Amino acid sequence: MLTYNVHSCRGTDGKVDPARIARVIAHCGADIIALQEVDVGRARTHGIDQAHVIASQLRMEVHFHPALHLADEKYGDAILTALPSRLIKAGPLPSVGEPRGAIWVSVDVGGTELQVVNTHLGLRRRERMNQIVALLGPGWLGNPMCRSSPFVLLGDFNARPSSVVYRTITRLAADVHLGAKSRPRATFPSRYPLFRIDHIFVGNGVVPIEAEVQSDGLIRTASDHLPLTARISVPTPLSPEAAIGRQAARL
């Protein structure tokens, strides 16, 4: 699993290159990808549908939500995977200034429906708090479907571990960096990382195994953020026989 703010595929060298972003993702080897700051049909990035270009190079399906939609120009968040998946919800979050949103996709992982929510929170403290309250509410992670299923909440939260937003999330979900007992590393800015603001949180039986901030010459150049990857264990569904046995044990 990977979360990555791709900065409209514009690298620290000023070059717009979705293929380079796809190479970074391929190098990381994740099978569920959450991207933020994806341009679709925007003049500033040559009118390219970055979501589909990256997905096609990775041979994955893509679900895209435009947090910003002006005429034919779109900008927002995407979830890519080659696993069976279906879009549950994509919509806005309470925003001041630049619109923000989230996208929720259910991914079949070995017979288990994993609920994956990708977001990019705002730059202002109160705005971020309002947005995370909405994400933890009944429209998103507070929905019965998420409350009863394994879930992942990931993205660019613009919030460090000392923040109220981060602490609010960790009342419900585990930070993969801490759950995997790996040394947390900063993700932004990519050249000289100082801030840990990109996160992956898991809950309802999802177990973090390892987490890593990917960094090499190509990765430090491809975007102004570094990608965060995590290996997780998702609970497997009970066979009918095991389910009957468990029910009998309860009786």
Side-chain angles (χ1 to χ4, degrees), residues 132-221:
I132 209 62
V133 166
L135 280 170
L136 299 181
W140 297 91
L141 291 178
N143 182 286
M145 189 173 177
C146 276
R147 290 206 310 265
S148 61
S149 301
F151 71 83
V152 177
L153 171 65
L154 73 174
D156 177 356
F157 292 82
N158 278 311
R160 290 183 267 182
S162 59
S163 68
V164 175
V165 163
Y166 177 94
R167 296 198 303 270
T168 300
I169 299 169
T170 53
R171 293 185 194 129
L172 173 74
D175 180 341
V176 292
H177 254 138
L178 304 184
K181 295 183 173 58
S182 55
R183 185 174 67 87
R185 289 181 54 208
T187 55
F188 177 82
S190 58
R191 288 284 193 179
Y192 303 101
L194 297 173
F195 306 113
R196 191 160 79 90
I197 58 175
D198 301 277
H199 304 288
I200 301 175
F201 302 98
V202 298
N204 286 350
V206 179
V207 178
I209 298 173
E210 62 182 5
E212 183 178 1
V213 174
Q214 303 286 333
S215 177
D216 63 20
L218 170 66
I219 294 173
R220 288 194 299 272
T221 303

Side-chain angles (χ1 to χ4, degrees), residues 18-23 25-26 33 35 38 48-63 78-82:
R20 179 168 59 183
I21 292 292
R23 290 198 302 275
I25 296 170
I33 316 297
L35 303 180
V38 180
I48 298 169
D49 185 335
Q50 295 181 344
H52 281 88
V53 168
I54 295 168
S56 64
Q57 297 218 359
L58 297 171
R59 298 183 180 178
M60 292 181 170
E61 296 296 320
V62 60
H63 304 275
I79 294 175
L80 289 68
T81 185

Side-chain angles (χ1 to χ4, degrees), residues 113-127:
E113 289 291 312
L114 178 66
Q115 311 307 321
V116 180
V117 178
N118 174 27
T119 193
H120 184 190
L121 301 188
L123 297 176
R124 303 180 186 185
R125 185 181 307 172
R126 181 173 295 180
E127 178 185 31

